[in-house]
Each structure stands twice: as C-alpha cells, then as structure tokens.
Amino acid sequence: MTYCPTCGAQCPDGARFCNACGAAMAAEQPTVNSEQTLTPPAPVYRNPFDPPSQQPIQQPYQATYQQPYQAAPYRPVYTAPSAAEPTPLTRAIKESGASPLFLGATATYALGLLMVVVGAFSADSLIERVLKLFGRYIPDWDTVMEEMQTDLPYDFFNMLKFQTGFSVLFAMIPLALVCAGMFMFYRSARNENEAIPKSTGLSLINGVAIYRLVGVGGGAVAIVIMLGFGVLALFAVQEATVAMVLAASSLFLAASIALSIAFYASAIRSLSSVKKTLADGRSAPVISRFLTGMIIYTAISTLVQSIPGFIFFGIPLGLANFLQGAGMALLAAVLVQFRKKIQELQDAPPCTEPALPLADSVAPAQEDPSL
C-alpha cells in the first residue's frame, strides 16, 4: 500500500494518481503491508501567543483530529462604568438649579454685597453718615467732634472709617461664599453633559450655614448671660424701670437669636436632603415651609429697610439693601416652585402597566370532539 503525499489517502501499489484527490503520485513510495499498523504522526503543539513566524507549518496530510487546537488568547473586554441614571427627583433639582430665577437670585444678591462694600469705602461712608445723624439731634455735636479730633494725635475719623470698611468686608466673606456656591450649582445644573448636577456648590453653602449656626449659637449664649447679669445688677440697685426695659430687650434679642438658629438648622437639613437625593435619586428632598417663610420674611424686611437706607445712608447702602431683598425674593420664588414640583411627584400615582384581561392572556381550553 502507498499513501498520497498530498492528502495522505491510501492508494494501490503502482498507481500514478491519487484516487481521492487526483494528485500525482511520487515515483518511489514506501510500501507497507496491510498487516502492519500505521502510526500516525505526533500532534504538533502550537502556542497561540507565538508570532506567526515561530509557529510550525501545518502538514497537509494530517487528519483533522491530528491538528493542534488553536485557541485565541483571552482578552477581557473593558466596559466603562455607566453614569447614574437621572430620576424625576434629580430632574426637578436640575431644572430648578438651571432656571433663570435661580441665576437672577444669585446675581442680584451678589451685586447687593458688592454695593455694601462700595458704600463702606466710599467718600460718604457709613460711619460719616452715622455721625451726621448724631449731629442732627445732639446739641453741639460738631463742637464735641472737633475738640476730640484736636486732642487725638491721629485722624480719628479716617481710622474709624477704614476700620468700619474692613469690618464690613470681613463680614461679607461668608455671604460671598454662599453666592459662589449658588453659582457653582447653577453651572453644574446648566451643563448638558451632566445628567445629575454636582453637589459641590451645595456643600460650600452647607459649610457656611454650619459656620453661621455655630457663631450665632455661641454669641447668643454669651449675650444672654451678660444681659441676665445686667438685669440682676439693676434690680439690686433698685432701678426697676430700667431693669424691666433691659429684660424686655433681652427677651426680644433671645427670640431673634432663636429664630436665626432655627433658620440655619433648617437650611442645613434642607441642603443635606437635596445632596442625598442627588446621590441616590430616590429619597425626596425636604424644603421646609419654615425655611421658605423665613426667606420671604427676610426679603420683605430688607426691601423695606432700603427706603430709610436711601434717605439716611446714601445711594450705595440703600441700593445694597434693595438688591439683597430682591435676590432673597427671587430665591424664595425658586423654592416655592421647587416645593410644588416635589409635591406633584409625590402625589403622582405609580407608573404600572395595565394587566391584560383573562381572555387575552390565557387561551380558553377547547373540547376534544372524540370524547
């Protein structure tokens, strides 16, 4: 028996062409008796990671089961992490943060703060206005001021003016940070590439609220203790009328401080709830009515204070009060609209698919006519 050098099929001795593939047979072929057992060639191992030049050549006469297994190397497919999907609650927050009212509130309040600084450092500054008011109602006020200025070795009025200006500038820093946080949140909400706004600006505002809460709380305790000792001292020297007036003033001051503490605590709670909603998309943000009402009250009182501000303290400070009140009013409008959107989402029925009737979902059983 001979074998075809092309396909490896068995051919009869002396055949010139292969009966299987038709290829020409070699002139001399080894003969093998039928009783002998043909040992197939050893399988060739091919490393899939070797370059093609180093891989062995596949012999054409090898059977299919003799060819080495060619497996592609394992390559893990990288999939980028999918961004958090927006929910109706996060969409409501994004729409409120990107609204023109929110931008108007931020810009108007920031302009009001700028006018406060301008009024504090202007030629007709706040301290000069106050001194002029004293001169209207206190006899010989100008003479007293001239004598005091003559006795002092430095310019008392200029020093007091600059001290007042820098004090106002320092006091405006927390409010300026609030405006910066509002603007950061507005930019993130307006960014179309971000499905969910970032809470960096809200965190900045929350930090300022915590700072003001700690400051108001600590100052309140000190003031109340000092006023209490003052009332007791006046009662001890039998100044009952003055003591009663001081006690009433202390109660009014304590009530104002308590409202301020409650306002900042409510603001911190509301900001934290909004940040939590942006994080999980499920928990509804809580904007209390007390917080909205306090902002409305602050806006109205500041707008009313702008009228005597224009009259007694000049245009810069009067305009500052007006712009701050307008900014607070716009912010209150944003909060009212946002509360309305959240309430509508909470009152909306859950979105469920209607159930199919029994006739459409299950086919009726048919009777067998053979029974």
Side-chain angles (χ1 to χ4, degrees), residues 78-259:
Y78 173 77
T79 56
S82 59
E85 294 295 333
T87 62
L89 294 174
T90 56
R91 291 193 192 99
I93 296 175
K94 184 178 178 66
E95 292 174 1
S96 298
S99 64
L101 282 178
F102 190 80
L103 177 61
T106 305
T108 306
Y109 197 82
L111 288 176
L113 297 181
L114 179 61
M115 294 307 299
V116 171
V117 177
V118 171
F121 286 97
S122 61
D124 197 7
S125 62
L126 174 63
I127 190 64
E128 293 178 352
R129 289 276 181 173
V130 173
L131 293 177
K132 288 180 181 179
L133 285 177
F134 286 159
R136 292 181 184 180
Y137 303 102
I138 298 178
D140 299 331
W141 176 259
D142 295 335
T143 304
V144 174
M145 291 292 101
E146 290 178 0
E147 293 178 355
M148 185 177 63
Q149 183 64 31
T150 304
D151 296 336
L152 293 175
Y154 51 86
D155 193 346
F156 172 76
F157 294 105
N158 284 334
M159 182 198 70
L160 192 61
K161 173 182 175 180
F162 279 102
Q163 284 184 348
T164 305
F166 282 109
S167 299
V168 171
L169 183 62
F170 181 77
M172 292 296 106
I173 292 178
L175 300 179
L177 291 177
V178 171
C179 292
M182 294 174 63
F183 184 71
M184 290 170 61
F185 183 71
Y186 171 78
R187 287 192 59 186
S188 179
R190 288 285 297 177
N191 190 356
E192 297 181 355
N193 297 327
E194 297 179 1
I196 299 177
K198 297 180 180 178
S199 59
T200 308
L202 299 181
S203 300
L204 180 59
I205 301 173
N206 198 16
V208 174
I210 294 174
Y211 164 76
R212 297 299 291 266
L213 178 62
V214 174
V216 170
V221 173
I223 292 174
V224 169
I225 292 176
M226 292 176 60
L227 291 176
F229 280 113
V231 171
L232 293 177
L234 290 174
F235 272 115
V237 297
Q238 297 182 356
E239 293 289 342
T241 304
V242 180
M244 292 297 294
V245 173
L246 187 59
S249 302
S250 301
L251 291 176
F252 177 77
L253 181 61
S256 301
I257 293 174
L259 281 177

Side-chain angles (χ1 to χ4, degrees), residues 40-103:
V44 180
Y45 172 75
R46 176 181 295 177
N47 190 355
F49 295 98
D50 291 340
S53 60
Q54 298 179 4
Q55 295 181 0
I57 301 175
Q58 181 66 45
Q59 299 297 330
Y61 58 84
Q62 290 180 343
T64 304
Y65 72 93
Q66 295 175 342
Q67 296 181 1
Y69 173 72
Q70 301 179 5
Y74 173 73
R75 295 179 181 178
V77 180
Y78 173 77
T79 56
S82 59
E85 294 295 333
T87 62
L89 294 174
T90 56
R91 291 193 192 99
I93 296 175
K94 184 178 178 66
E95 292 174 1
S96 298
S99 64
L101 282 178
F102 190 80
L103 177 61

